[in-house]
Amino acid sequence: MGGEFQYACTLDELRRKGRLVMHGPHRPVLLILDRDRVRALDNRCPHMGFPLERGSVEDGILTCHWHHARFDLASGCTFDLWADDVPTCPVEVRAAEIWVKPEFGHEEPAAHWRLRLEDGMAHNLGLVIAKAVQGRLAAGMQPLDIVRQAALFGAQNLDGWTAGMTILTAMGSLIAALPKHEACLALLHGVRHVAADCEGAVAPRKRSPLASRPDTDALKRWLRRWSAVRHGEAAQRTVLTAIAAGARPADLADLLFTAETDRVFADGGHSLDFINKAFECLDLIGWQHAGALLPTVVGPMVAARGADESTEWRQPADLVALCEHAATQMAQFASSGEAGSWSRHVELAHALLGEDANAVLAAVCAAARDGASCEDLGRSLSYAAALRVARFGTANEHGDWESAHHVFTYCNAVHQGLKRISADRGLAGHRNGLLRAVLHGAMAIYLIRYLNVPPARLPGEDGDASDDLPATAEDIRAALLDAFDRQHQVEIAGRLVARHLALDHPPELIISALAYALLREDAGFHAYQMLEAGVRQFREWGNTRQGRHILVAVARYLAAHSPTERAWLQTADIAERLSRGDQLHENA
């Protein structure tokens, strides 16, 4: 019906009324006679769908009376960027009769929504961002195109990597495993957090690489030197020089992680995790953007405060000195072989949960001596850290969840970095920076041992058969989401996830449920980190006892931070209803 002109009314009728609404199988069309010109527009205000027929017209400007958005009648263009443009329709006057072609949309929707997403991010307009994300997807754009646009916008407007950039990357990494609705929500959360970080931020100064091309060892020495003296500009130019010289991703990882681990567990683990997330972002959007993205992690790395400057790492035992001694031993026999020949991951993980710092470090060194690869060490480290979260005692203060979370996401970042560097055969023997990070992670796990006193019971322990819980995947999902609607549902959330996996239901379904439980909340930064790191580590183990423990940890952490007001879910819902053409208001 929308492809042909349709009779609307006579010119005299419109002249008498001044405006009227044309109804039919299409969206309602508002006809307005303004200075003897007939204008035909979508009757819904593009901001939130309020009927424009209730607005006012003055001097060629249509004003919606709900939020006072103003539009040029001739073109439908808005004077207020938060409102979007009103779609207009072709109109003809034939022998005093008005005919309208009720077609809505844009000639080039992909280009239109790309510009609107840019506007939404530039002005931090939540509803505009939500509509633009949905519009770009509806126009056939791939989700990673949106991730790329948002990441590069952040790189252009932020003088340093931020929590928002990490959230965007984490959500981009999960998109392929999520259903369409959850994937759209994931993109919305990632983009809007980057936009919020950019609002009012000082844009970075453009820096260039050196004209020379020093060798890799020199660049590594220089970066460590600049980081040690907190010379951010010199450090950035060093990294840009490595990129200009054609350094491979593994080379760049070795360069940055080596300098990063000169400080112990810097900024509570965030600094190393930011570097890892920048690499993962480039995996998603393309390494041709390394020159734009990687300089953003240098500033936070240089400014980071190391745990070696804190009392708990120095007294009553000097854990930093213990790590340095162990690192000397590790360098002698750390295996560069592939993961698979050594299989005592669980044994090492439980040793990492020990009560004696010397014994913990000795266990790591013994594993390396016995043939554990770098990837093996990272895998055991991450599982041990996940157990700290899975066994978190709810008698602790609520804020203590973050201590456990920081250690887990740090250990995951160490693991991912080790995998990246170890995968490059040309870098055999160049893993010392991240091997130090393994030891730092082991001591971080040791330091939070009090969070498991007494340890929370894992699902299935001590006769917990979970027979009282639902059995079908659909009922388990419903019960899990119901649990997230209420506070203090940590234990039941973990049990439901374990129940789903123990019954051999597809893991993707419970991951999707956890993702939706997060994405409907106005979640904090750490929740996104927790979900993405947990899913990565689960995939290392699959649906095994250990894999279940990891997703139990994720469920418990998310449940401890739910529910919230869910304002962003409402914004996403409004955007979706508007895109479908729904009537959001009575008498529309």
Side-chain angles (χ1 to χ4, degrees), residues 212-224 238-239 241-256 258-259 421 424 426-427 430:
S212 64
R213 293 294 177 263
D215 61 39
T216 301
D217 289 339
L219 289 169
K220 188 184 295 187
R221 291 194 306 272
W222 293 353
L223 185 60
R224 296 178 74 178
T238 302
V239 172
T241 301
I243 295 168
R248 298 165 300 174
D251 293 317
L252 293 168
D254 179 47
L255 177 72
L256 280 160
T258 299
I421 294 173
D424 191 316
L427 286 176
H430 286 258

PDB file of all heavy atoms in Angstrom, residues 212-224 238-239 241-256 258-259 421 424 426-427 430:
ATOM      1  N   SER A 212      62.891   7.109  13.316  1.00  0.00           N
ATOM      2  CA  SER A 212      63.748   5.918  13.215  1.00  0.00           C
ATOM      3  C   SER A 212      62.928   4.665  13.474  1.00  0.00           C
ATOM      4  O   SER A 212      61.760   4.726  13.860  1.00  0.00           O
ATOM      5  CB  SER A 212      64.889   6.006  14.226  1.00  0.00           C
ATOM      6  OG  SER A 212      64.372   6.004  15.546  1.00  0.00           O
ATOM      7  N   ARG A 213      63.541   3.515  13.264  1.00  0.00           N
ATOM      8  CA  ARG A 213      62.885   2.243  13.493  1.00  0.00           C
ATOM      9  C   ARG A 213      63.784   1.370  14.377  1.00  0.00           C
ATOM     10  O   ARG A 213      64.447   0.455  13.899  1.00  0.00           O
ATOM     11  CB  ARG A 213      62.559   1.534  12.170  1.00  0.00           C
ATOM     12  CG  ARG A 213      61.504   2.248  11.330  1.00  0.00           C
ATOM     13  CD  ARG A 213      60.145   2.244  12.027  1.00  0.00           C
ATOM     14  NE  ARG A 213      59.134   2.981  11.282  1.00  0.00           N
ATOM     15  CZ  ARG A 213      58.790   4.238  11.521  1.00  0.00           C
ATOM     16  NH1 ARG A 213      59.411   4.909  12.502  1.00  0.00           N
ATOM     17  NH2 ARG A 213      57.857   4.829  10.824  1.00  0.00           N
ATOM     18  N   PRO A 214      63.828   1.645  15.678  1.00  0.00           N
ATOM     19  CA  PRO A 214      64.669   0.852  16.580  1.00  0.00           C
ATOM     20  C   PRO A 214      64.212  -0.604  16.613  1.00  0.00           C
ATOM     21  O   PRO A 214      63.063  -0.932  16.281  1.00  0.00           O
ATOM     22  CB  PRO A 214      64.445   1.522  17.941  1.00  0.00           C
ATOM     23  CG  PRO A 214      63.853   2.861  17.629  1.00  0.00           C
ATOM     24  CD  PRO A 214      63.085   2.688  16.368  1.00  0.00           C
ATOM     25  N   ASP A 215      65.109  -1.489  17.067  1.00  0.00           N
ATOM     26  CA  ASP A 215      64.728  -2.900  17.150  1.00  0.00           C
ATOM     27  C   ASP A 215      63.799  -3.116  18.346  1.00  0.00           C
ATOM     28  O   ASP A 215      63.639  -2.259  19.215  1.00  0.00           O
ATOM     29  CB  ASP A 215      65.952  -3.817  17.217  1.00  0.00           C
ATOM     30  CG  ASP A 215      66.824  -3.563  18.440  1.00  0.00           C
ATOM     31  OD1 ASP A 215      66.276  -3.310  19.529  1.00  0.00           O
ATOM     32  OD2 ASP A 215      68.063  -3.631  18.304  1.00  0.00           O
ATOM     33  N   THR A 216      63.201  -4.304  18.390  1.00  0.00           N
ATOM     34  CA  THR A 216      62.195  -4.612  19.404  1.00  0.00           C
ATOM     35  C   THR A 216      62.745  -4.515  20.815  1.00  0.00           C
ATOM     36  O   THR A 216      62.083  -3.993  21.727  1.00  0.00           O
ATOM     37  CB  THR A 216      61.623  -6.020  19.156  1.00  0.00           C
ATOM     38  OG1 THR A 216      61.040  -6.060  17.847  1.00  0.00           O
ATOM     39  CG2 THR A 216      60.555  -6.361  20.173  1.00  0.00           C
ATOM     40  N   ASP A 217      63.957  -5.004  21.024  1.00  0.00           N
ATOM     41  CA  ASP A 217      64.539  -4.971  22.369  1.00  0.00           C
ATOM     42  C   ASP A 217      64.731  -3.535  22.854  1.00  0.00           C
ATOM     43  O   ASP A 217      64.494  -3.233  24.033  1.00  0.00           O
ATOM     44  CB  ASP A 217      65.876  -5.719  22.384  1.00  0.00           C
ATOM     45  CG  ASP A 217      65.702  -7.219  22.247  1.00  0.00           C
ATOM     46  OD1 ASP A 217      64.582  -7.708  22.531  1.00  0.00           O
ATOM     47  OD2 ASP A 217      66.664  -7.908  21.854  1.00  0.00           O
ATOM     48  N   ALA A 218      65.156  -2.653  21.960  1.00  0.00           N
ATOM     49  CA  ALA A 218      65.334  -1.251  22.356  1.00  0.00           C
ATOM     50  C   ALA A 218      63.995  -0.617  22.718  1.00  0.00           C
ATOM     51  O   ALA A 218      63.884   0.106  23.726  1.00  0.00           O
ATOM     52  CB  ALA A 218      66.004  -0.469  21.232  1.00  0.00           C
ATOM     53  N   LEU A 219      62.972  -0.888  21.915  1.00  0.00           N
ATOM     54  CA  LEU A 219      61.653  -0.336  22.204  1.00  0.00           C
ATOM     55  C   LEU A 219      61.131  -0.827  23.555  1.00  0.00           C
ATOM     56  O   LEU A 219      60.528  -0.058  24.312  1.00  0.00           O
ATOM     57  CB  LEU A 219      60.676  -0.729  21.090  1.00  0.00           C
ATOM     58  CG  LEU A 219      60.895  -0.040  19.737  1.00  0.00           C
ATOM     59  CD1 LEU A 219      60.056  -0.706  18.663  1.00  0.00           C
ATOM     60  CD2 LEU A 219      60.547   1.448  19.832  1.00  0.00           C
ATOM     61  N   LYS A 220      61.402  -2.090  23.846  1.00  0.00           N
ATOM     62  CA  LYS A 220      60.953  -2.633  25.124  1.00  0.00           C
ATOM     63  C   LYS A 220      61.672  -1.954  26.287  1.00  0.00           C
ATOM     64  O   LYS A 220      61.050  -1.596  27.294  1.00  0.00           O
ATOM     65  CB  LYS A 220      61.172  -4.147  25.162  1.00  0.00           C
ATOM     66  CG  LYS A 220      60.556  -4.826  26.376  1.00  0.00           C
ATOM     67  CD  LYS A 220      60.879  -6.317  26.437  1.00  0.00           C
ATOM     68  CE  LYS A 220      60.265  -7.063  25.292  1.00  0.00           C
ATOM     69  NZ  LYS A 220      60.440  -8.533  25.455  1.00  0.00           N
ATOM     70  N   ARG A 221      62.967  -1.768  26.153  1.00  0.00           N
ATOM     71  CA  ARG A 221      63.721  -1.080  27.210  1.00  0.00           C
ATOM     72  C   ARG A 221      63.211   0.342  27.400  1.00  0.00           C
ATOM     73  O   ARG A 221      63.030   0.809  28.528  1.00  0.00           O
ATOM     74  CB  ARG A 221      65.221  -1.047  26.871  1.00  0.00           C
ATOM     75  CG  ARG A 221      65.923  -2.386  26.922  1.00  0.00           C
ATOM     76  CD  ARG A 221      67.442  -2.192  26.911  1.00  0.00           C
ATOM     77  NE  ARG A 221      67.926  -1.376  25.803  1.00  0.00           N
ATOM     78  CZ  ARG A 221      68.252  -1.855  24.595  1.00  0.00           C
ATOM     79  NH1 ARG A 221      68.124  -3.161  24.339  1.00  0.00           N
ATOM     80  NH2 ARG A 221      68.684  -1.046  23.632  1.00  0.00           N
ATOM     81  N   TRP A 222      62.973   1.024  26.289  1.00  0.00           N
ATOM     82  CA  TRP A 222      62.527   2.405  26.376  1.00  0.00           C
ATOM     83  C   TRP A 222      61.152   2.505  27.037  1.00  0.00           C
ATOM     84  O   TRP A 222      60.924   3.374  27.885  1.00  0.00           O
ATOM     85  CB  TRP A 222      62.474   3.027  24.983  1.00  0.00           C
ATOM     86  CG  TRP A 222      63.822   3.188  24.333  1.00  0.00           C
ATOM     87  CD1 TRP A 222      65.041   2.969  24.904  1.00  0.00           C
ATOM     88  CD2 TRP A 222      64.061   3.602  22.994  1.00  0.00           C
ATOM     89  NE1 TRP A 222      66.046   3.218  23.990  1.00  0.00           N
ATOM     90  CE2 TRP A 222      65.474   3.614  22.803  1.00  0.00           C
ATOM     91  CE3 TRP A 222      63.252   3.954  21.915  1.00  0.00           C
ATOM     92  CZ2 TRP A 222      66.063   3.962  21.596  1.00  0.00           C
ATOM     93  CZ3 TRP A 222      63.826   4.314  20.704  1.00  0.00           C
ATOM     94  CH2 TRP A 222      65.228   4.320  20.557  1.00  0.00           C
ATOM     95  N   LEU A 223      60.232   1.624  26.627  1.00  0.00           N
ATOM     96  CA  LEU A 223      58.885   1.705  27.184  1.00  0.00           C
ATOM     97  C   LEU A 223      58.909   1.454  28.685  1.00  0.00           C
ATOM     98  O   LEU A 223      58.213   2.128  29.455  1.00  0.00           O
ATOM     99  CB  LEU A 223      57.952   0.708  26.492  1.00  0.00           C
ATOM    100  CG  LEU A 223      56.485   0.799  26.919  1.00  0.00           C
ATOM    101  CD1 LEU A 223      55.910   2.184  26.627  1.00  0.00           C
ATOM    102  CD2 LEU A 223      55.645  -0.276  26.239  1.00  0.00           C
ATOM    103  N   ARG A 224      59.723   0.511  29.118  1.00  0.00           N
ATOM    104  CA  ARG A 224      59.826   0.249  30.558  1.00  0.00           C
ATOM    105  C   ARG A 224      60.410   1.470  31.284  1.00  0.00           C
ATOM    106  O   ARG A 224      59.971   1.819  32.387  1.00  0.00           O
ATOM    107  CB  ARG A 224      60.689  -0.991  30.803  1.00  0.00           C
ATOM    108  CG  ARG A 224      60.082  -2.269  30.241  1.00  0.00           C
ATOM    109  CD  ARG A 224      60.982  -3.475  30.456  1.00  0.00           C
ATOM    110  NE  ARG A 224      60.972  -3.911  31.849  1.00  0.00           N
ATOM    111  CZ  ARG A 224      61.652  -4.974  32.284  1.00  0.00           C
ATOM    112  NH1 ARG A 224      62.396  -5.687  31.448  1.00  0.00           N
ATOM    113  NH2 ARG A 224      61.594  -5.308  33.558  1.00  0.00           N
ATOM    114  N   THR A 238      56.742   5.704  21.786  1.00  0.00           N
ATOM    115  CA  THR A 238      57.430   4.421  21.663  1.00  0.00           C
ATOM    116  C   THR A 238      56.492   3.349  21.126  1.00  0.00           C
ATOM    117  O   THR A 238      56.852   2.574  20.227  1.00  0.00           O
ATOM    118  CB  THR A 238      58.001   4.000  23.030  1.00  0.00           C
ATOM    119  OG1 THR A 238      58.898   5.012  23.496  1.00  0.00           O
ATOM    120  CG2 THR A 238      58.740   2.682  22.933  1.00  0.00           C
ATOM    121  N   VAL A 239      55.285   3.312  21.664  1.00  0.00           N
ATOM    122  CA  VAL A 239      54.298   2.332  21.179  1.00  0.00           C
ATOM    123  C   VAL A 239      53.933   2.621  19.728  1.00  0.00           C
ATOM    124  O   VAL A 239      53.837   1.699  18.893  1.00  0.00           O
ATOM    125  CB  VAL A 239      53.049   2.344  22.079  1.00  0.00           C
ATOM    126  CG1 VAL A 239      51.935   1.487  21.473  1.00  0.00           C
ATOM    127  CG2 VAL A 239      53.397   1.837  23.479  1.00  0.00           C
ATOM    128  N   THR A 241      55.760   3.963  17.521  1.00  0.00           N
ATOM    129  CA  THR A 241      56.904   3.578  16.694  1.00  0.00           C
ATOM    130  C   THR A 241      56.894   2.080  16.427  1.00  0.00           C
ATOM    131  O   THR A 241      57.178   1.632  15.304  1.00  0.00           O
ATOM    132  CB  THR A 241      58.217   3.986  17.383  1.00  0.00           C
ATOM    133  OG1 THR A 241      58.205   5.406  17.595  1.00  0.00           O
ATOM    134  CG2 THR A 241      59.424   3.621  16.533  1.00  0.00           C
ATOM    135  N   ALA A 242      56.566   1.302  17.437  1.00  0.00           N
ATOM    136  CA  ALA A 242      56.475  -0.144  17.247  1.00  0.00           C
ATOM    137  C   ALA A 242      55.394  -0.491  16.229  1.00  0.00           C
ATOM    138  O   ALA A 242      55.585  -1.361  15.363  1.00  0.00           O
ATOM    139  CB  ALA A 242      56.189  -0.824  18.583  1.00  0.00           C
ATOM    140  N   ILE A 243      54.261   0.191  16.300  1.00  0.00           N
ATOM    141  CA  ILE A 243      53.173  -0.056  15.345  1.00  0.00           C
ATOM    142  C   ILE A 243      53.606   0.338  13.933  1.00  0.00           C
ATOM    143  O   ILE A 243      53.388  -0.400  12.962  1.00  0.00           O
ATOM    144  CB  ILE A 243      51.913   0.713  15.767  1.00  0.00           C
ATOM    145  CG1 ILE A 243      51.396   0.180  17.108  1.00  0.00           C
ATOM    146  CG2 ILE A 243      50.829   0.614  14.699  1.00  0.00           C
ATOM    147  CD1 ILE A 243      50.331   1.048  17.739  1.00  0.00           C
ATOM    148  N   ALA A 244      54.241   1.500  13.804  1.00  0.00           N
ATOM    149  CA  ALA A 244      54.694   1.968  12.488  1.00  0.00           C
ATOM    150  C   ALA A 244      55.728   1.027  11.885  1.00  0.00           C
ATOM    151  O   ALA A 244      55.828   0.913  10.658  1.00  0.00           O
ATOM    152  CB  ALA A 244      55.266   3.377  12.613  1.00  0.00           C
ATOM    153  N   ALA A 245      56.496   0.367  12.736  1.00  0.00           N
ATOM    154  CA  ALA A 245      57.521  -0.565  12.253  1.00  0.00           C
ATOM    155  C   ALA A 245      56.939  -1.911  11.858  1.00  0.00           C
ATOM    156  O   ALA A 245      57.671  -2.800  11.428  1.00  0.00           O
ATOM    157  CB  ALA A 245      58.595  -0.756  13.328  1.00  0.00           C
ATOM    158  N   GLY A 246      55.622  -2.070  12.010  1.00  0.00           N
ATOM    159  CA  GLY A 246      54.967  -3.308  11.590  1.00  0.00           C
ATOM    160  C   GLY A 246      54.972  -4.402  12.636  1.00  0.00           C
ATOM    161  O   GLY A 246      54.874  -5.593  12.294  1.00  0.00           O
ATOM    162  N   ALA A 247      55.066  -4.034  13.905  1.00  0.00           N
ATOM    163  CA  ALA A 247      55.052  -5.038  14.968  1.00  0.00           C
ATOM    164  C   ALA A 247      53.759  -5.853  14.918  1.00  0.00           C
ATOM    165  O   ALA A 247      52.674  -5.316  14.728  1.00  0.00           O
ATOM    166  CB  ALA A 247      55.193  -4.362  16.326  1.00  0.00           C
ATOM    167  N   ARG A 248      53.901  -7.153  15.094  1.00  0.00           N
ATOM    168  CA  ARG A 248      52.743  -8.045  15.101  1.00  0.00           C
ATOM    169  C   ARG A 248      51.981  -7.900  16.418  1.00  0.00           C
ATOM    170  O   ARG A 248      52.524  -7.414  17.412  1.00  0.00           O
ATOM    171  CB  ARG A 248      53.201  -9.483  14.924  1.00  0.00           C
ATOM    172  CG  ARG A 248      53.912  -9.753  13.595  1.00  0.00           C
ATOM    173  CD  ARG A 248      54.649 -11.079  13.648  1.00  0.00           C
ATOM    174  NE  ARG A 248      55.652 -11.088  14.716  1.00  0.00           N
ATOM    175  CZ  ARG A 248      56.363 -12.162  15.061  1.00  0.00           C
ATOM    176  NH1 ARG A 248      56.166 -13.301  14.431  1.00  0.00           N
ATOM    177  NH2 ARG A 248      57.254 -12.088  16.032  1.00  0.00           N
ATOM    178  N   PRO A 249      50.718  -8.350  16.449  1.00  0.00           N
ATOM    179  CA  PRO A 249      49.953  -8.280  17.700  1.00  0.00           C
ATOM    180  C   PRO A 249      50.673  -8.908  18.885  1.00  0.00           C
ATOM    181  O   PRO A 249      50.669  -8.334  19.986  1.00  0.00           O
ATOM    182  CB  PRO A 249      48.663  -9.031  17.355  1.00  0.00           C
ATOM    183  CG  PRO A 249      48.477  -8.788  15.892  1.00  0.00           C
ATOM    184  CD  PRO A 249      49.870  -8.807  15.323  1.00  0.00           C
ATOM    185  N   ALA A 250      51.303 -10.066  18.690  1.00  0.00           N
ATOM    186  CA  ALA A 250      52.008 -10.713  19.803  1.00  0.00           C
ATOM    187  C   ALA A 250      53.209  -9.880  20.246  1.00  0.00           C
ATOM    188  O   ALA A 250      53.523  -9.814  21.443  1.00  0.00           O
ATOM    189  CB  ALA A 250      52.447 -12.118  19.399  1.00  0.00           C
ATOM    190  N   ASP A 251      53.900  -9.236  19.293  1.00  0.00           N
ATOM    191  CA  ASP A 251      55.025  -8.356  19.646  1.00  0.00           C
ATOM    192  C   ASP A 251      54.538  -7.189  20.506  1.00  0.00           C
ATOM    193  O   ASP A 251      55.179  -6.819  21.498  1.00  0.00           O
ATOM    194  CB  ASP A 251      55.687  -7.789  18.383  1.00  0.00           C
ATOM    195  CG  ASP A 251      56.382  -8.857  17.561  1.00  0.00           C
ATOM    196  OD1 ASP A 251      57.054  -9.703  18.151  1.00  0.00           O
ATOM    197  OD2 ASP A 251      56.237  -8.822  16.325  1.00  0.00           O
ATOM    198  N   LEU A 252      53.418  -6.602  20.099  1.00  0.00           N
ATOM    199  CA  LEU A 252      52.879  -5.468  20.841  1.00  0.00           C
ATOM    200  C   LEU A 252      52.407  -5.900  22.228  1.00  0.00           C
ATOM    201  O   LEU A 252      52.557  -5.165  23.207  1.00  0.00           O
ATOM    202  CB  LEU A 252      51.724  -4.839  20.059  1.00  0.00           C
ATOM    203  CG  LEU A 252      52.131  -4.159  18.749  1.00  0.00           C
ATOM    204  CD1 LEU A 252      50.898  -3.824  17.906  1.00  0.00           C
ATOM    205  CD2 LEU A 252      52.937  -2.894  19.029  1.00  0.00           C
ATOM    206  N   ALA A 253      51.851  -7.110  22.308  1.00  0.00           N
ATOM    207  CA  ALA A 253      51.440  -7.630  23.609  1.00  0.00           C
ATOM    208  C   ALA A 253      52.650  -7.808  24.514  1.00  0.00           C
ATOM    209  O   ALA A 253      52.633  -7.417  25.692  1.00  0.00           O
ATOM    210  CB  ALA A 253      50.698  -8.947  23.443  1.00  0.00           C
ATOM    211  N   ASP A 254      53.706  -8.378  23.985  1.00  0.00           N
ATOM    212  CA  ASP A 254      54.931  -8.574  24.765  1.00  0.00           C
ATOM    213  C   ASP A 254      55.492  -7.227  25.226  1.00  0.00           C
ATOM    214  O   ASP A 254      55.905  -7.060  26.380  1.00  0.00           O
ATOM    215  CB  ASP A 254      55.955  -9.333  23.918  1.00  0.00           C
ATOM    216  CG  ASP A 254      57.271  -9.554  24.646  1.00  0.00           C
ATOM    217  OD1 ASP A 254      57.230  -9.973  25.814  1.00  0.00           O
ATOM    218  OD2 ASP A 254      58.324  -9.294  24.042  1.00  0.00           O
ATOM    219  N   LEU A 255      55.483  -6.255  24.330  1.00  0.00           N
ATOM    220  CA  LEU A 255      56.001  -4.922  24.642  1.00  0.00           C
ATOM    221  C   LEU A 255      55.231  -4.286  25.809  1.00  0.00           C
ATOM    222  O   LEU A 255      55.817  -3.833  26.801  1.00  0.00           O
ATOM    223  CB  LEU A 255      55.895  -4.042  23.391  1.00  0.00           C
ATOM    224  CG  LEU A 255      56.315  -2.577  23.522  1.00  0.00           C
ATOM    225  CD1 LEU A 255      57.833  -2.463  23.650  1.00  0.00           C
ATOM    226  CD2 LEU A 255      55.822  -1.774  22.316  1.00  0.00           C
ATOM    227  N   LEU A 256      53.906  -4.268  25.703  1.00  0.00           N
ATOM    228  CA  LEU A 256      53.092  -3.573  26.693  1.00  0.00           C
ATOM    229  C   LEU A 256      52.976  -4.352  28.001  1.00  0.00           C
ATOM    230  O   LEU A 256      53.045  -3.767  29.092  1.00  0.00           O
ATOM    231  CB  LEU A 256      51.701  -3.300  26.121  1.00  0.00           C
ATOM    232  CG  LEU A 256      51.637  -2.091  25.183  1.00  0.00           C
ATOM    233  CD1 LEU A 256      50.413  -2.142  24.298  1.00  0.00           C
ATOM    234  CD2 LEU A 256      51.651  -0.797  25.990  1.00  0.00           C
ATOM    235  N   THR A 258      55.094  -6.440  29.269  1.00  0.00           N
ATOM    236  CA  THR A 258      56.365  -6.417  29.997  1.00  0.00           C
ATOM    237  C   THR A 258      56.496  -5.132  30.805  1.00  0.00           C
ATOM    238  O   THR A 258      56.873  -5.151  31.985  1.00  0.00           O
ATOM    239  CB  THR A 258      57.553  -6.552  29.026  1.00  0.00           C
ATOM    240  OG1 THR A 258      57.454  -7.806  28.337  1.00  0.00           O
ATOM    241  CG2 THR A 258      58.879  -6.502  29.774  1.00  0.00           C
ATOM    242  N   ALA A 259      56.183  -3.997  30.177  1.00  0.00           N
ATOM    243  CA  ALA A 259      56.246  -2.724  30.906  1.00  0.00           C
ATOM    244  C   ALA A 259      55.189  -2.669  32.004  1.00  0.00           C
ATOM    245  O   ALA A 259      55.454  -2.178  33.109  1.00  0.00           O
ATOM    246  CB  ALA A 259      56.067  -1.561  29.935  1.00  0.00           C
ATOM    247  N   ILE A 421      50.644 -14.292  23.422  1.00  0.00           N
ATOM    248  CA  ILE A 421      52.096 -14.278  23.196  1.00  0.00           C
ATOM    249  C   ILE A 421      52.623 -15.675  22.895  1.00  0.00           C
ATOM    250  O   ILE A 421      53.447 -15.863  21.997  1.00  0.00           O
ATOM    251  CB  ILE A 421      52.809 -13.672  24.420  1.00  0.00           C
ATOM    252  CG1 ILE A 421      52.429 -12.193  24.567  1.00  0.00           C
ATOM    253  CG2 ILE A 421      54.321 -13.799  24.292  1.00  0.00           C
ATOM    254  CD1 ILE A 421      52.945 -11.539  25.829  1.00  0.00           C
ATOM    255  N   ASP A 424      52.569 -17.225  19.325  1.00  0.00           N
ATOM    256  CA  ASP A 424      53.551 -16.774  18.329  1.00  0.00           C
ATOM    257  C   ASP A 424      54.881 -17.462  18.604  1.00  0.00           C
ATOM    258  O   ASP A 424      55.566 -17.160  19.572  1.00  0.00           O
ATOM    259  CB  ASP A 424      53.711 -15.255  18.413  1.00  0.00           C
ATOM    260  CG  ASP A 424      54.506 -14.692  17.241  1.00  0.00           C
ATOM    261  OD1 ASP A 424      55.535 -15.297  16.892  1.00  0.00           O
ATOM    262  OD2 ASP A 424      54.099 -13.656  16.697  1.00  0.00           O
ATOM    263  N   GLY A 426      57.604 -17.188  17.274  1.00  0.00           N
ATOM    264  CA  GLY A 426      58.774 -16.320  17.218  1.00  0.00           C
ATOM    265  C   GLY A 426      59.068 -15.624  18.532  1.00  0.00           C
ATOM    266  O   GLY A 426      60.120 -15.011  18.679  1.00  0.00           O
ATOM    267  N   LEU A 427      58.135 -15.731  19.481  1.00  0.00           N
ATOM    268  CA  LEU A 427      58.337 -15.073  20.765  1.00  0.00           C
ATOM    269  C   LEU A 427      58.627 -16.062  21.887  1.00  0.00           C
ATOM    270  O   LEU A 427      58.442 -15.741  23.064  1.00  0.00           O
ATOM    271  CB  LEU A 427      57.101 -14.234  21.126  1.00  0.00           C
ATOM    272  CG  LEU A 427      56.941 -12.939  20.345  1.00  0.00           C
ATOM    273  CD1 LEU A 427      55.636 -12.258  20.721  1.00  0.00           C
ATOM    274  CD2 LEU A 427      58.104 -12.000  20.596  1.00  0.00           C
ATOM    275  N   HIS A 430      59.929 -15.094  25.410  1.00  0.00           N
ATOM    276  CA  HIS A 430      59.646 -13.672  25.642  1.00  0.00           C
ATOM    277  C   HIS A 430      58.370 -13.508  26.465  1.00  0.00           C
ATOM    278  O   HIS A 430      57.600 -12.580  26.241  1.00  0.00           O
ATOM    279  CB  HIS A 430      59.473 -12.944  24.301  1.00  0.00           C
ATOM    280  CG  HIS A 430      60.763 -12.732  23.575  1.00  0.00           C
ATOM    281  ND1 HIS A 430      61.424 -11.531  23.542  1.00  0.00           N
ATOM    282  CD2 HIS A 430      61.534 -13.597  22.860  1.00  0.00           C
ATOM    283  CE1 HIS A 430      62.533 -11.646  22.817  1.00  0.00           C
ATOM    284  NE2 HIS A 430      62.611 -12.898  22.395  1.00  0.00           N
TER     285      HIS A 430
END
